Amino acid sequence: MATIVHEFDNTFEDPQKRPPLVVGDHSFHTVTEAVCRINESPTAPALWWIIFVGGVALLANLGAMIAYLFFTGVGVWGLNNPVGWGFDITNFVFWVGIGHAGTLISAVLFLFRQKWRTGINRFAEAMTIFAVICALLFPGIHVGRVWLAFYLFPLPNQMGMWPQFRSPLLWDVFAVGTYFTVSLLFWYTGMVPDLATLRDRAKTKIAQIGYGIFALGWNGSARHWHRYERAYLILAALSTPLVLSVHSVVSFDFATSQLPGWHTTIFPPYFVAGAIFSGMAMVITLAVPARVIYNVKDIITLHHLDVMNKCILATGSMVGFAYITEFFVAWYSGNNYEWFTFKNRQMGPYWWSYWIMFTCNVIIPQIYWFKWARTNIPLMFVISLLVNVGMWFERFVIIVTSLHADFLPGAWDTYSPTWVEYLTLAGSFGLFFTFFALFLRFLPIIAIAEVKGVMPRKHAHGHGHGGDGHGHLEAAR
Amino acid sequence: MHHAETIDIMQEPRHLERARTVGHQALFVGVAALGAGVAVALFGGKLDGFLKSYLVSYTYFLSLALGALFFVMIQHVTRAGWSVTVRRIAECITAALPIWLLLAIPLIAMAAKIYPWMTQTLLSPDMAALVEKKRQYLNFGFWAGRIVLYFLIWSWLAHFFYRKSIEQDSTGDPKLSHWMHQRAAIGLVLFAFSLAFAAYDLIKSLNPGWFSTMFGVYYFAGSVQGFFGLLIIVVAWVQSSGRLPRAITTEHYHDMGKFMFAFTVFWAYIAFSQYMLIWYANIPEETRWYLSRQTGAWAWFSVFLLFGKFILPFLFLISRWPKRMRELLIVGALWILLMQWCDQYYLIMPAENPESAGAGQLPLHLNDLLCFIGLGGIFIWAVTQRMASCSLVPERDPRLHEALAFENY
């Protein structure tokens, strides 16, 4: 097994050659080994247990908080009139946003022929699925009368009651639901060849049956590869508009209203840019420890991190552009309410949240103009956390500052979240990390077949490791 | 990727001297048409109408040049390989930007005739009071200064990327690529702000009471969509003149077509978002702008734009084969170019006040055509003079071999 422990710098800036996307002395076989041993090892690394146990503990806490909420009512949250949306919808938008990077990396970068995506797409997609699950939780539990939560869906019923089809909240149900379905299909379709690899290597009966079912009888024939590539391309093309549409529809929840700070036409692309920004940051947050725990540094290389940090710089700057545009147009509109809202964000009772947002999202990522920062692993880990803090606060700023002081000063009120809301937020991370830990343990965390397709030696290297199921890769490419 | 054969770029005919003559002819026709337009305006006594026609074609060709500048920078910042063989042509298109600063002079000189915030008498008392609150931004001196500043930024960027690229033709120094890569990132930041504010200043401020945060993005989306139409046409012209016969292949047309398709959808996404949000919230000060565009004949024009700039090109370009059939793709590209002009017409021409007399009529005038030909002639002249003076391909770009061997899969 050839694993290179030291950090190989493949972030060079020489325009005459492309950086290798897999470093170290890897053959097709050693790539398979490097990824499969993660799932095949009888014991998991200590850090995995920390993530898993911590995740499960927080998940239990989430269950307790939801039970408390259900049995007592939404009064356990700090919501009031006028602040009818607080942590619940902030968390919803936050998690939907996180769920954008996976499909962006898989679909949009696939269409743009960005081959570096192969190193990170699998677990970025997994992250997407789990983040969307976390997101979907919140509209479900915030409705107050949870036993009527099925009203979210347009189900035929004897009373002839239908959701309001003109409401963006219903569009959200469709948009996020579609996104979840297609993302799941995309993730799963891409995983089939790798599941077959795990199946073929499996030693225990349970693993053979488990992976066998989900590998769908994949045998690596040219016909399978042909259909797989077609399906993958079609799913990529279907997912690309979805990457834009989901967060656009989420932004409609706010922007269709007449509320200053919510009603602004740049919201759809601005939300999409912010979502990709936060999603990329979450990929860094997860990739940095994962590549250390599982020693896959030569597949998720420094170059991958460098490029993702550039994406963070680009999308963070787009978000900054939107903040500045909003602020300028609020003044330019000549509308007193608009202008008040934006001044209130910066200098009102929630000024600190605005400045946390602006610092974390716009100012701090500017350090990525410098290559030393983009390739400094501890620094990028810290920045990725800060970006996620900033993006959570962005949603908090949008929701709370606009609601707490609208047109009638007599109706103003401030919002203070309760301990239940803090613990529910923490619990949603528990849900996310539990799923993610299970994914790390049981599924191939790197797209083995795709990585082989971008290896520098794919043409030179002989192959035919029988059961690995990758011998046909070259035929398909 | 399959390396079927290696193309030696030095064997390709890559200079188009004929472009110079074509440019001179275009300039002659253009200046004549503009002169005729001025004459028509002066004798007809409708100088404001002429200026609006002028502005439509002015922002139209500006959008194409800005799209080219964006394309050049985005290729550098992403270190794109496929596009090297068509990048020089985009660099040539940016040659129009400094010329467009000169062509802003009549616009700045007579701005008070079409920008109602400059002369309060054109506005209702309420609107005048509103505009008064924006006086710090909407005043002639600052406005004119900003226009000049935008053009200095764009001309400087366009000049930098062209000059460095030409320098690489002779030196072959790969460091230049790295340098352009870095400058492109900073250039894109400057570009984003300057383009958005230019759209506010040149177009949005025609309706000084109206505001939309999306407006800059809207102008950007249409600019890039239109630019890809132009790029396809110019590349096809270069090849029909026998230049770069093997360096640019169906694969490149296919990719340019894909981008044209992508920005068609992106434009529709932006246009829909802006319209839907304003329609849904139904706030009078915002709907006013759309009301002017939904009154009388303008309503039909809006529908025409919806179908012409999005639905038809969407259906046309979605399949693989029209993007790979040169003749069809050219038809699509010409149509996109026409629709981008119609979009500028739609942004600029309707009345500021939807209730004013004649608000529902399309003010179609001979000057629309004359200004189009006039500014178009000058645009073609600016672009072709540069095309005649340099190699049509960045012949020693370190990534050229990728573009030459490029295949879609």
Side-chain angles (χ1 to χ4, degrees):
Chain A
M1 198 190 300
T3 43
I4 301 296
V5 183
H6 67 85
E7 198 79 56
F8 181 83
D9 185 4
N10 59 341
T11 60
F12 54 77
E13 306 278 342
D14 184 356
Q16 285 162 306
K17 52 187 176 193
R18 298 287 177 183
L21 296 170
V22 178
V23 299
D25 185 26
H26 270 295
S27 65
F28 285 168
H29 181 67
T30 58
V31 168
T32 309
E33 284 293 335
V35 181
C36 290
R37 75 184 145 78
I38 298 168
N39 310 115
E40 290 165 353
S41 144
T43 53
L47 201 54
W48 181 86
W49 281 106
I50 294 172
I51 295 172
F52 181 66
V53 172
V56 170
L58 283 172
L59 178 61
N61 148 63
L62 177 70
M65 287 306 118
I66 291 177
Y68 181 49
L69 171 79
F70 283 3
F71 286 107
T72 317
V74 280
V76 301
W77 291 348
L79 302 176
N80 58 30
N81 198 355
V83 188
W85 279 353
F87 268 35
D88 48 357
I89 300 301
T90 303
N91 296 342
F92 163 70
V93 182
F94 171 75
W95 281 115
V96 178
I98 298 289
H100 267 64
T103 312
L104 175 97
I105 289 168
S106 318
V108 179
L109 296 187
F110 179 72
L111 297 183
F112 278 119
R113 297 191 289 258
Q114 296 296 306
K115 290 181 177 162
W116 59 272
R117 62 180 268 289
T118 54
I120 50 161
N121 69 342
R122 175 66 45 73
F123 75 86
E125 287 170 42
M127 179 198 82
T128 289
I129 308 284
F130 308 143
V132 175
I133 291 172
C134 291
L136 284 168
L137 176 73
F138 286 97
I141 62 171
H142 96 305
V143 292
R145 289 182 284 174
V146 283
W147 54 96
L148 296 177
F150 66 90
Y151 277 11
L152 285 169
F153 304 98
L155 302 172
N157 58 70
Q158 290 166 311
M159 294 177 286
M161 291 216 343
W162 294 94
Q164 172 57 279
F165 284 97
R166 283 175 291 189
S167 162
L169 302 180
L170 181 67
W171 309 344
D172 239 5
V173 174
F174 296 141
V176 181
T178 309
Y179 184 67
F180 179 73
T181 311
V182 175
S183 298
L184 188 64
L185 278 175
F186 201 16
W187 182 54
Y188 177 58
T189 306
M191 207 153 41
V192 167
D194 294 348
L195 288 172
T197 303
L198 283 173
R199 174 199 64 196
D200 296 346
R201 292 167 55 101
K203 301 261 185 332
T204 68
K205 204 72 199 163
I206 295 172
Q208 283 169 350
I209 293 172
Y211 290 125
I213 289 171
F214 287 103
L216 299 178
W218 177 272
N219 63 15
S221 70
R223 180 185 299 208
H224 280 186
W225 275 112
H226 178 69
R227 293 199 175 140
Y228 167 83
E229 300 265 340
R230 299 293 287 184
Y232 202 84
L233 182 62
I234 290 169
L235 281 170
L238 284 177
S239 306
T240 299
L242 287 177
V243 173
L244 290 172
S245 73
V246 185
H247 230 55
S248 297
V249 174
V250 171
S251 82
F252 293 163
D253 292 345
F254 307 100
T256 52
S257 73
Q258 297 174 336
L259 196 64
W262 283 17
H263 177 70
T264 174
T265 49
I266 206 171
F267 254 31
Y270 149 50
F271 265 49
V272 172
I276 293 166
F277 177 56
S278 66
M280 281 284 181
M282 190 59 112
V283 175
I284 294 277
T285 309
L286 299 173
V288 165
R291 68 199 281 276
V292 177
I293 301 175
Y294 294 118
N295 199 11
V296 286
K297 286 183 202 165
D298 27 14
I299 300 175
I300 304 173
T301 66
L302 211 52
H303 173 68
H304 292 82
L305 301 173
D306 181 30
V307 175
M308 277 191 283
N309 286 331
K310 285 180 184 169
C311 293
I312 287 175
L313 172 63
T315 46
S317 301
M318 285 182 206
V319 168
F321 173 82
Y323 294 161
I324 294 167
T325 302
E326 271 190 324
F327 191 72
F328 169 73
V329 173
W331 175 82
Y332 177 86
S333 71
N335 180 315
N336 295 336
Y337 299 102
E338 284 281 337
W339 183 228
F340 166 79
T341 298
F342 280 87
K343 277 193 298 184
N344 186 46
R345 277 185 185 175
Q346 294 182 352
M347 293 175 279
Y350 295 101
W351 63 271
W352 45 273
S353 61
Y354 182 88
W355 291 109
I356 290 174
M357 166 193 102
F358 201 88
T359 309
C360 291
N361 293 347
V362 183
I363 297 172
I364 290 175
Q366 300 304 320
I367 200 171
Y368 284 151
W369 284 99
F370 303 102
K371 191 182 162 191
W372 60 264
R374 293 196 304 266
T375 51
N376 182 325
I377 288 174
L379 181 72
M380 74 174 77
F381 185 69
V382 172
I383 292 180
S384 74
L385 295 176
L386 288 175
V387 166
N388 276 310
V389 169
M391 284 307 294
W392 189 88
F393 270 99
E394 180 192 293
R395 282 61 177 251
F396 181 83
V397 166
I398 291 170
I399 292 172
V400 175
T401 64
S402 286
L403 284 175
H404 95 96
D406 61 2
F407 301 99
L408 277 179
W412 291 1
D413 202 354
T414 51
Y415 159 73
S416 334
T418 63
W419 60 274
V420 182
E421 286 166 289
Y422 286 113
L423 289 182
T424 309
L425 170 59
S428 69
F429 279 91
L431 178 62
F432 181 77
F433 280 107
T434 303
F435 274 129
F436 199 75
L438 291 173
F439 160 73
L440 289 177
R441 187 77 188 98
F442 295 110
L443 292 172
I445 67 164
I446 286 170
I448 309 171
E450 290 194 62
V451 165
K452 288 174 187 169
V454 301
M455 281 171 69
R457 53 196 295 171
K458 70 167 175 160
H459 290 295
H461 184 70
H463 49 78
H465 300 286
D468 281 6
H470 62 240
H472 301 276
L473 186 71
E474 207 155 0
R477 288 274 167 189
Chain B
M1 227 175 277
H2 310 281
H3 303 271
E5 53 175 329
T6 322
I7 299 164
D8 181 4
I9 198 69
M10 296 305 163
Q11 301 297 319
E12 289 273 293
R14 56 193 191 284
H15 291 277
L16 187 59
E17 294 78 10
R18 192 164 71 89
R20 197 177 302 279
T21 332
V22 173
H24 289 315
Q25 290 161 350
L27 182 66
F28 178 75
V29 173
V31 171
L34 267 188
V38 174
V40 169
L42 288 178
F43 286 110
K46 292 192 72 174
L47 203 55
D48 54 336
F50 171 77
L51 272 177
K52 275 203 157 184
S53 300
Y54 184 86
L55 185 62
V56 169
S57 290
Y58 182 84
T59 59
Y60 169 68
F61 288 106
L62 175 64
S63 74
L64 302 180
L66 288 176
L69 180 59
F70 173 76
F71 177 77
V72 171
M73 288 195 289
I74 211 82
Q75 303 316 307
H76 283 303
V77 86
T78 59
R79 298 180 171 142
W82 74 272
S83 59
V84 176
T85 47
V86 296
R87 201 187 71 224
R88 178 59 52 78
I89 291 169
E91 288 165 5
C92 291
I93 294 172
T94 63
L97 286 168
I99 309 292
W100 247 238
L101 175 59
L102 294 178
L103 292 172
I105 292 171
L107 211 55
I108 293 173
M110 290 180 281
K113 290 209 176 297
I114 51 171
Y115 291 97
W117 50 268
M118 287 195 193
T119 44
Q120 296 286 28
T121 49
L122 292 172
L123 294 167
S124 65
D126 287 351
M127 192 60 76
L130 183 62
V131 166
E132 206 45 49
K133 292 167 82 173
K134 312 181 183 189
R135 195 50 76 193
Q136 287 157 296
Y137 185 80
L138 289 182
N139 62 73
F140 177 76
F142 192 22
W143 176 83
R146 285 196 304 268
I147 304 281
V148 173
L149 177 67
Y150 305 143
F151 275 99
L152 292 180
I153 292 171
W154 298 332
S155 305
W156 171 68
L157 287 172
H159 182 66
F160 172 83
F161 289 107
Y162 172 68
R163 192 166 44 87
K164 290 292 163 199
S165 186
I166 291 291
E167 192 182 325
Q168 199 172 44
D169 279 2
S170 51
T171 65
D173 186 357
K175 279 205 194 71
L176 290 167
S177 290
H178 183 53
W179 200 354
M180 287 190 276
H181 169 73
Q182 290 182 326
R183 188 68 65 89
I186 299 161
L188 282 167
V189 176
L190 293 173
F191 178 82
F193 282 100
S194 55
L195 179 136
F197 278 86
Y200 305 158
D201 289 343
L202 285 170
I203 307 173
K204 193 162 90 171
S205 78
L206 288 166
N207 298 68
W210 186 70
F211 52 91
S212 167
T213 43
M214 188 74 111
F215 198 78
V217 187
Y218 182 95
Y219 186 67
F220 163 76
S223 297
V224 183
Q225 184 195 13
F227 159 73
F228 278 106
L230 179 66
L231 183 65
I232 290 166
I233 302 293
V234 180
V235 169
W237 177 58
V238 164
Q239 289 206 299
S240 74
S241 307
R243 304 304 188 273
L244 306 179
R246 298 196 305 158
I248 300 174
T249 65
T250 304
E251 307 299 329
H252 298 98
Y253 283 94
H254 187 182
D255 262 24
M256 291 186 285
K258 283 185 210 167
F259 270 110
M260 191 161 73
F261 174 74
F263 275 90
T264 298
V265 179
F266 185 68
W267 175 84
Y269 162 64
I270 297 297
F272 168 77
S273 299
Q274 179 171 268
Y275 181 83
M276 194 280 287
L277 291 175
I278 288 176
W279 168 80
Y280 199 112
N282 205 10
I283 300 171
E285 61 215 66
E286 290 184 355
T287 51
R288 178 186 169 89
W289 191 83
Y290 278 112
L291 215 53
S292 294
R293 284 151 185 81
Q294 285 178 199
T295 308
W298 280 110
W300 293 106
F301 196 85
S302 303
V303 173
F304 172 63
L305 204 58
L306 166 67
F307 277 85
K309 204 161 194 253
F310 171 57
I311 295 175
L312 289 178
F314 177 84
L315 296 174
F316 181 78
L317 289 169
I318 194 167
S319 296
R320 180 184 167 95
W321 58 272
K323 296 191 283 271
R324 294 180 74 88
M325 282 178 67
R326 209 159 295 187
E327 295 76 13
L328 274 182
L329 190 63
I330 290 169
V331 172
L334 284 171
W335 179 257
I336 293 283
L337 280 174
L338 172 69
M339 292 316 298
Q340 170 65 4
W341 186 86
C342 290
D343 191 20
Q344 300 307 305
Y345 196 76
Y346 165 86
L347 293 176
I348 289 167
M349 280 297 182
E352 191 272 329
N353 181 356
E355 282 146 18
S356 61
Q361 285 156 13
L362 293 181
L364 286 174
H365 195 278
L366 178 63
N367 275 335
D368 298 332
L369 185 64
L370 290 175
C371 286
F372 176 79
I373 297 171
L375 291 172
I378 296 170
F379 186 85
I380 291 171
W381 168 75
V383 174
T384 48
Q385 294 314 292
R386 184 175 276 185
M387 285 173 72
S389 69
C390 62
S391 168
L392 291 171
V393 64
E395 47 196 47
R396 293 176 73 185
D397 187 292
R399 298 188 191 98
L400 178 65
H401 65 96
E402 290 186 27
L404 294 174
F406 159 62
E407 276 182 52
N408 281 286
Y409 48 82

